[in-house]
Amino acid sequence: MLRRNKVTVVGAGNIGATCAHWIAAKELADVVLVDIIEGTPQGKSLDLMQAAPIDGFDVKLVGANSYEETKDSDIVIITAGLARKPGMSRDDLLKTNADIVGGVTDEIAKYSPDAFIIVVSNPLDAMAQLAFRRSGFPKNRVMGMAGVLDSARMRCFLAEALDVSVEDVTAFVLGGHGDTMVPLPRYSTCAGIPITELLPAEKIEEINKRTANGGAEIVGLLKTGSAYYAPSLGAVEMAASILKDKKRILPCAVYLEGEYGINNLFVGVPVKLGKNGVEQIIEISLTNEERAALQKSAGAVQELIDVLGI
Ligand code: APR
């Protein structure tokens, strides 16, 4: 029997509620929004349901403070946890968010044992690894959203610098979702032309830095929280590629076992996302300098993993 796709979004804060919004607007799936705060997921779901007649989307949204309603979800997006405030790094969230993401993962594994998990909570790579270990799910079903966001930020800055449509700009960012992320200008293009042929080296370096600092720039402006429109859409793009078996090639945090010389660690690399989740990890050739930057970034993730002992 046919049934609609079902996506659970855990955390009904800025990112979670905006995920629900994008999913509904794209008519991707029915949504269960879960939060520990009573009334918030219910209120936001009801509000979104009342937007349906205006936009004409036919999806059902419900809010909950427990997990019965989430049973047999196809995909679970985890956005629960504290967000950064000015002056905080993503790593400052480690202990608090590990407790939250660990508890959430137990519930997901119990109620939706066949789901794909997309982690958004920070520090991203460590939280994805925690969800992987805690759920016991196979590695193709657990992934973190960071690269889609980081490369979107880079595309946005590149399009602005080139004065062209964002549609014609691709960008490549590898590594952990932190200050050590590795933008790869050689693999970033405008209409197929490497940007290294279109922009001076200093401008590219400035864009690389702004990309790596993209989250902090927004935290500094918002002051009370962190970015959510682009992060939530990044997670929904990954969900869409799985639900529609699109086989998009997207940079995602996934469990590496030797790829890029990295072992037993979640780090951002290009992957193919389809109906089986992470269907392929794509290895591209790197210069010695790029490889060293990726190793450094992986080292920063490993430090967090060591603190958590997972
Ligand atoms: N279960 C469910 N929801 C929880 C839990 C929990 N155990 N603990 C906290 N939450 C909820 C909060 O009640 C809040 O509504 O998570 C929500 C987080 O929302 P925001 O504070 O608005 O944070 P947001 O901007 O959405 O970011 C969420 O994603 O990108 C990361 O760094 C960011 O870790 C942060 C997360």
Side-chain angles (χ1 to χ4, degrees), residues 165-215:
S165 163
V166 284
E167 277 186 64
D168 294 322
V169 179
T170 66
F172 227 105
V173 179
L174 292 180
H177 186 49
D179 308 337
T180 57
M181 71 178 74
V182 189
L184 288 182
R186 279 192 319 125
Y187 287 107
S188 303
T189 66
C190 175
I193 308 160
I195 56 146
T196 43
E197 304 205 358
L198 300 172
L199 287 170
E202 313 79 70
K203 185 66 193 172
I204 292 176
E205 192 43 39
E206 185 190 314
I207 288 175
N208 287 349
K209 285 216 175 80
R210 194 172 175 199
T211 300
N213 199 38

Side-chain angles (χ1 to χ4, degrees), residues 55-242:
D55 195 43
F57 55 78
D58 281 304
V59 303
K60 203 173 117 204
L61 298 114
V62 293
N65 299 116
S66 59
Y67 287 79
E68 291 79 13
E69 197 75 48
T70 70
K71 196 172 164 1
D72 295 330
S73 295
D74 300 300
I75 296 186
V76 179
I77 301 176
I78 304 182
T79 78
L82 300 191
R84 279 199 281 175
K85 301 256 162 41
M88 288 175 88
S89 80
R90 293 181 181 94
D91 298 355
D92 292 335
L93 306 169
L94 184 68
K95 287 276 171 58
T96 321
N97 283 358
D99 287 344
I100 294 173
V101 171
V104 167
T105 304
D106 292 343
E107 299 287 344
I108 294 166
K110 180 173 166 200
Y111 285 96
S112 299
D114 299 321
F116 297 95
I117 299 179
I118 300 174
V119 180
V120 183
S121 309
N122 274 314
L124 190 275
D125 308 87
M127 292 304 103
Q129 181 136 343
L130 175 63
F132 170 63
R133 296 268 188 242
R134 216 37 193 254
S135 64
F137 285 8
K139 64 178 182 173
N140 63 307
R141 286 206 275 125
V142 183
M143 60 212 91
M145 191 297 299
V148 175
L149 170 64
D150 296 328
S151 56
R153 284 179 172 150
M154 189 168 171
R155 287 171 66 191
C156 164
F157 303 144
L158 286 170
E160 206 172 25
L162 292 163
D163 192 23
V164 298
S165 163
V166 284
E167 277 186 64
D168 294 322
V169 179
T170 66
F172 227 105
V173 179
L174 292 180
H177 186 49
D179 308 337
T180 57
M181 71 178 74
V182 189
L184 288 182
R186 279 192 319 125
Y187 287 107
S188 303
T189 66
C190 175
I193 308 160
I195 56 146
T196 43
E197 304 205 358
L198 300 172
L199 287 170
E202 313 79 70
K203 185 66 193 172
I204 292 176
E205 192 43 39
E206 185 190 314
I207 288 175
N208 287 349
K209 285 216 175 80
R210 194 172 175 199
T211 300
N213 199 38
E217 182 178 358
I218 292 181
V219 172
L221 292 165
L222 294 181
K223 297 184 183 69
T224 53
S226 50
Y228 53 99
Y229 290 113
S232 56
L233 189 51
V236 170
E237 187 179 41
M238 288 167 63
S241 191
I242 296 171

